[in-house]
Amino acid sequence: MQVQTHVDIHSEWGIVAARQAGRKLAREIGFGSVDQARITTAISELARNIYLYANQGRIQIEEVRGSGKNGIRIIASDEGPGIKDIRNVMEDGFTTSGGLGAGLPGVKRLMDEFNIDSELENGTVITAIKWLR
Ligand SMILES: Nc1ncnc2c1ncn2[C@@H]1O[C@H](COP(=O)(O)OP(=O)(O)O)[C@@H](O)[C@H]1O
Ligand SMILES: [Mg+2]
Protein backbone atom coordinates (compact mmCIF):
# COMPACT_ATOMS: atom_id res chain seq x y z
CA MET A 1 0.00 0.00 0.00
CA GLN A 2 1.34 3.40 -0.94
CA VAL A 3 1.15 5.85 1.95
CA GLN A 4 0.47 9.53 1.50
CA THR A 5 -0.74 12.45 3.49
CA HIS A 6 -1.15 16.18 3.11
CA VAL A 7 -1.29 19.21 5.37
CA ASP A 8 -2.79 22.57 4.48
CA ILE A 9 -0.55 25.45 5.45
CA HIS A 10 -2.20 28.67 6.51
CA SER A 11 -0.71 29.30 9.93
CA GLU A 12 2.29 28.43 12.09
CA TRP A 13 0.33 25.38 13.25
CA GLY A 14 0.35 23.97 9.76
CA ILE A 15 4.14 24.07 9.77
CA VAL A 16 4.19 22.05 13.00
CA ALA A 17 1.60 19.59 11.69
CA ALA A 18 3.53 19.09 8.43
CA ARG A 19 6.73 18.36 10.37
CA GLN A 20 4.95 15.80 12.52
CA ALA A 21 3.28 14.12 9.56
CA GLY A 22 6.62 14.00 7.73
CA ARG A 23 8.44 12.47 10.67
CA LYS A 24 5.77 9.82 11.11
CA LEU A 25 5.75 8.84 7.45
CA ALA A 26 9.57 8.87 7.21
CA ARG A 27 9.73 6.55 10.21
CA GLU A 28 7.10 4.23 8.72
CA ILE A 29 8.99 4.06 5.42
CA GLY A 30 12.10 3.02 7.35
CA PHE A 31 14.30 6.13 7.54
CA GLY A 32 16.62 6.32 10.55
CA SER A 33 16.53 9.20 13.00
CA VAL A 34 19.19 11.26 11.20
CA ASP A 35 17.32 11.10 7.90
CA GLN A 36 14.04 11.74 9.71
CA ALA A 37 15.58 14.96 11.02
CA ARG A 38 16.79 15.94 7.53
CA ILE A 39 13.36 15.30 6.07
CA THR A 40 11.52 17.26 8.77
CA THR A 41 13.95 20.16 8.40
CA ALA A 42 13.29 20.25 4.66
CA ILE A 43 9.53 20.16 5.28
CA SER A 44 9.84 23.03 7.78
CA GLU A 45 11.69 25.20 5.30
CA LEU A 46 9.19 24.56 2.53
CA ALA A 47 6.16 25.02 4.79
CA ARG A 48 7.58 28.21 6.28
CA ASN A 49 8.20 29.62 2.82
CA ILE A 50 4.60 28.90 1.86
CA TYR A 51 3.35 30.65 4.98
CA LEU A 52 5.71 33.63 4.63
CA TYR A 53 5.58 34.28 0.91
CA ALA A 54 2.35 32.78 -0.39
CA ASN A 55 0.21 32.96 2.79
CA GLN A 56 -1.22 29.55 2.17
CA GLY A 57 -0.66 26.34 0.33
CA ARG A 58 -0.17 22.69 0.92
CA ILE A 59 2.50 20.15 1.81
CA GLN A 60 1.94 16.70 0.40
CA ILE A 61 4.11 13.87 1.67
CA GLU A 62 4.12 10.45 0.07
CA GLU A 63 5.98 7.22 -0.19
CA VAL A 64 7.69 6.61 -3.55
CA ARG A 65 8.38 3.17 -4.85
CA GLY A 66 10.90 3.06 -7.65
CA SER A 67 12.49 0.09 -9.32
CA GLY A 68 14.50 -1.39 -6.49
CA LYS A 69 14.40 1.76 -4.37
CA ASN A 70 11.89 3.36 -2.06
CA GLY A 71 11.81 6.85 -0.70
CA ILE A 72 9.78 9.82 0.40
CA ARG A 73 8.54 12.68 -1.75
CA ILE A 74 7.60 16.13 -0.48
CA ILE A 75 5.49 18.33 -2.72
CA ALA A 76 5.10 21.92 -1.52
CA SER A 77 2.57 23.83 -3.58
CA ASP A 78 0.97 27.23 -3.43
CA GLU A 79 -0.81 29.74 -5.61
CA GLY A 80 1.21 32.68 -4.32
CA PRO A 81 3.35 35.27 -6.16
CA GLY A 82 5.92 32.81 -7.52
CA ILE A 83 9.70 33.04 -7.12
CA LYS A 84 11.25 35.94 -8.98
CA ASP A 85 14.79 34.80 -9.64
CA ILE A 86 15.19 31.09 -9.06
CA ARG A 87 18.87 31.20 -10.02
CA ASN A 88 19.71 33.75 -7.29
CA VAL A 89 17.55 31.92 -4.81
CA MET A 90 19.56 28.73 -5.25
CA GLU A 91 22.83 30.50 -4.41
CA ASP A 92 23.93 29.97 -0.83
CA GLY A 93 23.57 33.03 1.31
CA PHE A 94 20.68 34.46 -0.67
CA THR A 95 17.85 34.94 1.76
CA THR A 96 15.47 37.81 2.30
CA SER A 97 14.29 36.92 5.76
CA GLY A 98 17.53 35.98 7.49
CA GLY A 99 16.00 32.76 8.80
CA LEU A 100 17.94 30.13 10.69
CA GLY A 101 17.41 27.33 8.18
CA ALA A 102 19.60 27.20 5.13
CA GLY A 103 16.65 28.02 2.91
CA LEU A 104 16.05 26.34 -0.43
CA PRO A 105 19.74 25.48 -1.04
CA GLY A 106 19.59 23.75 2.34
CA VAL A 107 16.53 21.76 1.29
CA LYS A 108 18.34 20.72 -1.88
CA ARG A 109 21.32 19.51 0.15
CA LEU A 110 19.19 17.64 2.68
CA MET A 111 17.26 15.74 0.02
CA ASP A 112 18.43 13.65 -2.99
CA GLU A 113 16.29 15.18 -5.72
CA PHE A 114 14.96 18.70 -5.89
CA ASN A 115 12.89 20.58 -8.42
CA ILE A 116 11.32 24.06 -8.47
CA ASP A 117 8.46 24.86 -10.78
CA SER A 118 7.42 28.46 -10.26
CA GLU A 119 5.50 30.92 -12.35
CA LEU A 120 5.22 34.60 -11.47
CA GLU A 121 1.80 35.54 -10.14
CA ASN A 122 0.69 31.92 -10.45
CA GLY A 123 2.43 30.01 -7.73
CA THR A 124 5.15 27.57 -6.92
CA VAL A 125 5.49 23.81 -6.77
CA ILE A 126 8.65 22.43 -5.18
CA THR A 127 9.24 18.69 -5.23
CA ALA A 128 11.96 16.94 -3.26
CA ILE A 129 12.72 13.25 -2.86
CA LYS A 130 14.89 11.37 -0.41
CA TRP A 131 15.78 7.77 -1.21
CA LEU A 132 16.07 5.07 1.38
CA ARG A 133 19.37 3.26 1.30
N1 LIG B 1 6.66 29.53 -1.98
C1 LIG B 1 7.26 30.69 -2.34
N2 LIG B 1 6.55 31.64 -3.01
C2 LIG B 1 7.14 32.79 -3.38
N3 LIG B 1 8.43 33.10 -3.14
C3 LIG B 1 9.17 32.22 -2.47
C4 LIG B 1 8.64 30.96 -2.04
N4 LIG B 1 9.62 30.27 -1.43
C5 LIG B 1 10.70 31.05 -1.48
N5 LIG B 1 10.45 32.22 -2.10
C6 LIG B 1 11.40 33.31 -2.38
O1 LIG B 1 12.68 32.76 -2.43
C7 LIG B 1 13.53 33.41 -1.49
C8 LIG B 1 14.53 32.43 -0.91
O2 LIG B 1 13.87 31.47 -0.08
P1 LIG B 1 14.73 30.72 0.98
O3 LIG B 1 15.89 30.06 0.28
O4 LIG B 1 13.82 29.81 1.76
O5 LIG B 1 15.31 31.85 1.92
P2 LIG B 1 14.53 32.81 2.95
O6 LIG B 1 13.16 32.24 3.16
O7 LIG B 1 15.37 32.79 4.17
O8 LIG B 1 14.52 34.16 2.30
C9 LIG B 1 12.58 34.00 -0.47
O9 LIG B 1 13.15 35.11 0.17
C10 LIG B 1 11.40 34.38 -1.31
O10 LIG B 1 11.62 35.62 -1.94
MG1 LIG C 1 12.88 30.19 3.60
Side-chain angles (χ1 to χ4, degrees):
M1 192 186 65
Q2 201 133 333
V3 196
Q4 73 158 55
T5 186
H6 66 86
V7 178
D8 289 323
I9 307 296
H10 40 67
S11 73
E12 297 268 358
W13 292 108
I15 302 170
V16 176
R19 283 182 63 99
Q20 285 170 351
R23 184 176 296 276
K24 180 167 181 283
L25 194 50
R27 196 193 302 124
E28 284 167 6
I29 292 170
F31 286 100
S33 57
V34 174
D35 276 340
Q36 287 173 33
R38 292 190 177 109
I39 291 160
T40 52
T41 302
I43 290 171
S44 289
E45 289 291 319
L46 295 172
R48 187 162 295 282
N49 281 353
I50 289 174
Y51 178 58
L52 286 176
Y53 307 120
N55 288 315
Q56 57 182 308
R58 173 194 244 219
I59 298 279
Q60 191 175 321
I61 311 161
E62 59 193 27
E63 182 178 11
V64 255
R65 293 202 172 165
S67 48
K69 53 180 183 177
N70 294 345
I72 193 167
R73 181 188 288 123
I74 306 164
I75 305 167
S77 58
D78 65 64
E79 295 178 358
I83 301 177
K84 276 190 211 77
D85 193 336
I86 292 173
R87 203 185 300 232
N88 280 350
V89 158
M90 292 314 294
E91 281 169 17
D92 264 325
F94 181 96
T95 57
T96 58
S97 66
L100 283 179
L104 293 173
V107 174
K108 187 177 182 181
R109 265 198 306 276
L110 291 165
M111 302 293 287
D112 294 322
E113 293 183 28
F114 179 86
N115 182 258
I116 300 182
D117 194 353
S118 186
E119 203 182 320
L120 279 184
E121 288 166 37
N122 261 317
T124 301
V125 179
I126 298 178
T127 306
I129 296 177
K130 186 143 198 87
W131 297 111
L132 194 59
R133 64 193 107 230

